[in-house]
Amino acid sequence: MTKPQGIAVLGATGSVGCNTLDVIARHPGRYRVVALSAHRQMDKLFEQACHFQPDYLAVADEDAAAGLRERLALASVRCEVLHGPSALEWIAALPEVEVVMAAIVGAAGLPSALAAANAGKRILLANKESLVVAGRLFMDAVRASGASLLPVDSEHSAIFQSLPADYVGQPDSAGIRKIILTASGGPFRGKSAAELLGVTPADACRHPNWSMGRKISVDSASLMNKGLEVIEAHWLFGVPPERIEVVVHPQSVIHSMVQYRDGSVMAQLGSPDMRTPIACALAWPERIEAGVEPLDFFSLSDLSFEKPDLQNFPCLRLAFDALAMGGDAPAVLNAANEVAVEAFLNGRLPFVDIPRVVAETLSGVGVAASASLQALLARDREARRFAEGRVGAC
Ligand code: NAD
Ligand code: MG
């Protein structure tokens, strides 16, 4: 039997993190969980630690770490508990960690994902914000260290699977005309501007097809998620924005497509279950059991396609605008969106004002070149301060 692969799951208690551990648990002996991280939800992390017996846990602060240490000692689980952002970066670069699942939400996931890239790991990238904030820096780090980067976002996994196996980021030489990103349209698809006025966080988090964390659920409702995914696809696949098209496909059966010069369209289909792209990234190029219901073609309703509604859901257009502005504009867009989404979830900002805060921050903060991680994080903080001011001005 081959040696188990050492894996660190960053953001283990989240929706992607839990799905990852679900797939790992189906393959005893194939992976060894070296480390898990979580920000809150200490009960869940404790349960995961008891089950997977990792060597390390990383949590937000010293208090959380102390509480966890006590519980682990009582349960006779031997594992070192670290805390703070630097612990995440340290874990991501450990020599015994071969695979890093980057499943922290938001720009908070960037430093550890980048540490994994610099350390030449096999990175399973769920944290799309890493590429939105630091696309060039991240892709350069992957190339320089020889890391492998496997997308976990279902659309990007679909595109990855629909590209030639030897694809190296040159669409023209691979005969690619377009990347087609599908979007479910989210829970508010078809709603008018007036109907969007009173929507609540609970409404926004009620996604028709996917069960996800709260931040990405709101992003899906505003179409910012698709905007972030356009930027993610641009960096992952080296495709210019004008050759990335978004198509609303409410059934979420086709997870995305690649259109070739000769008229062929390659698509990946499946049930809307994140364990498919997670298993694909974990085992690629092998295919492993993921616990996912096979697609039943006879019970599928029609597959339909629509243009996105950019009038009522301007966040998608704002993401294309940020990409066109270049420099660190996508990092500014992301920071403003994180602030606006948090304010919406806390009842401080109406849903329809999310794009307003993002647009005002983009024009208020402007664009800079910001090439290093430190410079990008400084701009992230600047954009957050500006966006907070715009939320307050509501
Ligand atoms: P989630 O909110 O369910 O979980 C987030 C995880 O990150 C948790 O473990 C949390 O403890 C940790 N975390 C939160 N803030 C942190 C911080 N400041 N520092 C360190 N850790 C922190 O989120 P999710 O839905 O699992 O999404 C995770 C990432 O994957 C996001 O970038 C999201 O866009 C992407 N993604 C998610 C899905 C999905 O189905 N949920 C699909 C595609 C992509
Ligand atoms: Mg997605």
Side-chain angles (χ1 to χ4, degrees), residues 10-19 37-42 48 58-60 85 88 102-109 112 125-130 152-155 210-217 219 225 228-229 232 273-274 277-278:
L10 306 182
T13 52
S15 164
V16 171
C18 290
N19 278 314
S37 92
H39 203 53
R40 296 194 190 92
Q41 293 195 281
M42 289 303 113
Q48 293 175 339
V59 298
L88 297 170
I104 290 173
V105 61
S112 51
L125 190 70
N127 179 257
K128 64 192 84 186
E129 294 91 347
S130 283
V152 169
D153 214 348
S154 58
E155 295 76 1
W210 299 92
S211 151
M212 308 180 287
R214 282 163 70 78
K215 191 261 180 183
I216 187 178
S217 295
D219 285 348
N225 182 50
L228 301 179
E229 290 183 356
E232 182 185 12
D273 187 322
M274 282 307 290
I278 289 168

Side-chain angles (χ1 to χ4, degrees), residues 314-332:
C315 283
L316 176 55
R317 187 174 34 77
L318 288 170
F320 271 107
D321 290 350
L323 204 44
M325 287 162 83
D328 59 14
V332 170

Side-chain angles (χ1 to χ4, degrees), residues 161-216:
Q161 293 177 65
S162 304
L163 286 169
D166 58 356
Y167 184 70
V168 286
Q170 284 161 354
D172 284 329
S173 50
I176 292 166
R177 184 174 286 159
K178 253 190 215 167
I179 295 277
I180 302 169
L181 279 177
T182 54
S184 69
F188 302 149
R189 183 177 62 90
K191 282 207 190 297
S192 65
E195 287 170 319
L196 288 173
L197 282 177
V199 297
T200 65
D203 298 331
C205 291
R206 213 172 289 125
H207 196 279
N209 306 334
W210 299 92
S211 151
M212 308 180 287
R214 282 163 70 78
K215 191 261 180 183
I216 187 178

